[in-house]
Amino acid sequence: MTSLKFYAIISSVSERKTEMRNRKTELIKPIFDLDGTVIIGKIGLFNWNNPKAILKLRPEHLTELGVRIKKSEKMFDILTARGSDEKVFIRKALEKIGMNVRRIITVGSKNKELNKNNRVPRKKQWIVKVIQRKLVDNEKRNLKGLIEIGLGELY
């Protein structure tokens, strides 16, 4: 093998590694809701009394969108109605199935009083307006007023 051919092979391998590394550090622009958007809703992975329930997450629990996010290998952010005590378990569960989650923002609470009067949708809307990133969510009430200004997309 000539040194030129060897250099071309090494260069090609190096370029592929760089491309893969860049893909893994690239951020998907929208921010995503978790339950019903990235993972299938109402399958027993959400329980206010057991924040560890999410650890049962398997690749087959991903929605079509969740599968596309996973296959992209890109980093993505979550904006969820779950409580802050679940954040560490959400990260662990998503990373365990190979998802490249960057930031998890929680706006819910175990305290039912705090979740009254559309508090969760209002908090999601406020955060999206502040960070100026589109929210992809399966619940229309979370997107109220966002779709019209280009910051919401119904999944």
Side-chain angles (χ1 to χ4, degrees):
M1 178 184 302
T2 67
S3 62
L4 204 55
K5 210 175 208 180
F6 179 75
Y7 177 76
I9 291 170
I10 296 300
S11 178
S12 174
V13 168
S14 177
E15 286 172 12
R16 276 186 271 151
K17 282 184 178 179
T18 301
E19 183 182 309
M20 286 174 61
R21 194 176 317 114
N22 288 345
R23 189 177 325 137
K24 289 183 178 184
T25 59
E26 190 177 332
L27 178 67
I28 299 174
K29 284 287 184 209
I31 190 165
F32 300 92
D33 169 56
L34 183 62
D35 297 287
T37 304
V38 174
I39 62 174
I40 298 167
K42 296 178 178 48
I43 57 171
L45 298 176
F46 177 69
N47 182 338
W48 283 117
N49 299 315
N50 180 12
K52 292 182 180 181
I54 186 72
L55 294 175
K56 296 176 191 161
L57 181 68
R58 301 285 173 263
E60 56 269 18
H61 297 141
L62 295 174
T63 62
E64 183 183 328
L65 176 61
V67 170
R68 289 196 324 251
I69 292 169
K70 182 179 187 265
K71 282 183 180 177
S72 79
E73 297 183 350
K74 295 179 182 177
M75 292 177 14
F76 69 104
D77 294 335
I78 295 284
L79 177 58
T80 180
R82 292 180 182 231
S84 60
D85 57 332
E86 295 189 58
K87 194 183 277 196
V88 68
F89 302 114
I90 293 168
R91 177 175 302 284
K92 190 181 274 189
L94 291 171
E95 287 176 349
K96 184 178 77 178
I97 63 167
M99 297 193 79
N100 193 4
V101 64
R102 183 181 77 147
R103 185 171 291 135
I104 300 167
I105 303 168
T106 59
V107 295
S109 172
K110 282 185 185 179
N111 183 334
K112 294 194 188 300
E113 284 299 310
L114 291 178
N115 290 332
K116 283 185 176 178
N117 300 321
N118 285 324
R119 178 181 174 268
V120 168
R122 285 193 329 240
K123 280 185 87 173
K124 279 188 168 189
Q125 293 158 11
W126 179 81
I127 288 168
V128 167
K129 287 176 183 175
V130 168
I131 64 174
Q132 289 292 297
R133 286 178 56 203
K134 183 184 280 188
L135 170 64
V136 179
D137 200 313
N138 65 309
E139 289 194 39
K140 207 170 193 171
R141 68 187 183 128
N142 294 333
L143 300 168
K144 187 176 179 186
L146 295 177
I147 293 172
E148 298 80 4
I149 59 173
L151 290 176
E153 183 178 318
L154 186 63
Y155 175 73

